[in-house]
Amino acid sequence: MDSYREKAETLSRQFGISPTDAMKALEACDGDIIDSVSLLECQGIIKRTSATFNTDRRTESTGGSSYGEARHVNYDPSSEADHSFSGFNEKAAGLFRKSIEYKLAVFKGEKNIVELPLLIVIVLALAVFWLTLMLLAVGLLAGCRYEISADQ
């Protein structure tokens, strides 16, 4: 039970909550601090704006007893959780835009035979891979050259 009190004091001090709330959460989570913090966040007792995590444990010996010294790192979960999906959407939209901006041009000598958006080439390559591969190979054997360039 002393370890529960120590953990409750730590939670109380770190998150600015009452020791009673910390003790109740620890008892509900069988003494697991991380689960207790999560429970307190779900109950709205602790705000999800920031948390402190121990990332480095070093042991030092002082008078026959060893203790862990932890380095604390502040972490803001809202900065990652709220922006992770929108960041993916932005990158996917950017990739889609670039696949339309860039063109695959097929030249025979100096004459431009065909120019296709890279998106079309990728879709064709995925849909009919072997046919696309054979067409590219036949084009090379026929003296064609391929060039990928952006719209100007």
Side-chain angles (χ1 to χ4, degrees):
M1 198 59 154
D2 287 332
S3 67
Y4 278 95
R5 279 196 195 107
E6 291 171 7
K7 289 178 182 179
E9 288 173 10
T10 301
L11 282 174
S12 174
R13 186 175 56 251
Q14 288 290 325
F15 296 102
I17 61 173
S18 71
T20 308
D21 288 338
M23 183 64 84
K24 286 179 185 176
L26 282 167
E27 288 172 354
C29 296
D30 295 325
D32 190 320
I33 290 182
I34 295 174
D35 289 343
S36 300
V37 170
S38 179
L39 177 67
L40 290 166
E41 284 177 347
C42 290
Q43 292 174 345
I45 296 172
I46 295 176
K47 292 184 181 177
R48 293 181 186 227
T49 55
S50 67
T52 303
F53 297 95
N54 294 331
T55 59
D56 186 20
R57 287 239 183 246
R58 288 173 260 158
T59 57
E60 296 179 15
S61 181
T62 307
S65 67
S66 63
Y67 62 93
E69 181 181 306
R71 180 180 55 165
H72 297 284
V73 176
N74 287 330
Y75 171 71
D76 185 6
S78 65
S79 66
E80 188 174 308
D82 294 343
H83 304 294
S84 63
F85 192 69
S86 65
F88 173 76
N89 285 343
E90 289 171 10
K91 288 182 182 183
L95 187 61
F96 181 75
R97 252 185 268 110
K98 286 203 183 273
S99 70
I100 293 173
E101 288 174 11
Y102 282 82
K103 310 280 187 209
L104 174 72
V106 180
F107 292 93
K108 175 82 174 182
E110 293 300 316
K111 184 180 175 193
N112 185 349
I113 298 172
V114 70
E115 190 173 78
L116 294 171
L118 204 51
L119 179 65
I120 303 277
V121 175
I122 292 169
V123 169
L124 283 173
L126 291 173
V128 284
F129 176 75
W130 293 109
L131 180 64
T132 307
L133 192 64
M134 285 192 297
L135 286 173
L136 290 171
V138 167
L140 284 174
L141 292 173
C144 293
R145 75 180 162 88
Y146 303 105
E147 183 177 296
I148 297 176
S149 60
D151 279 340
Q152 298 299 331

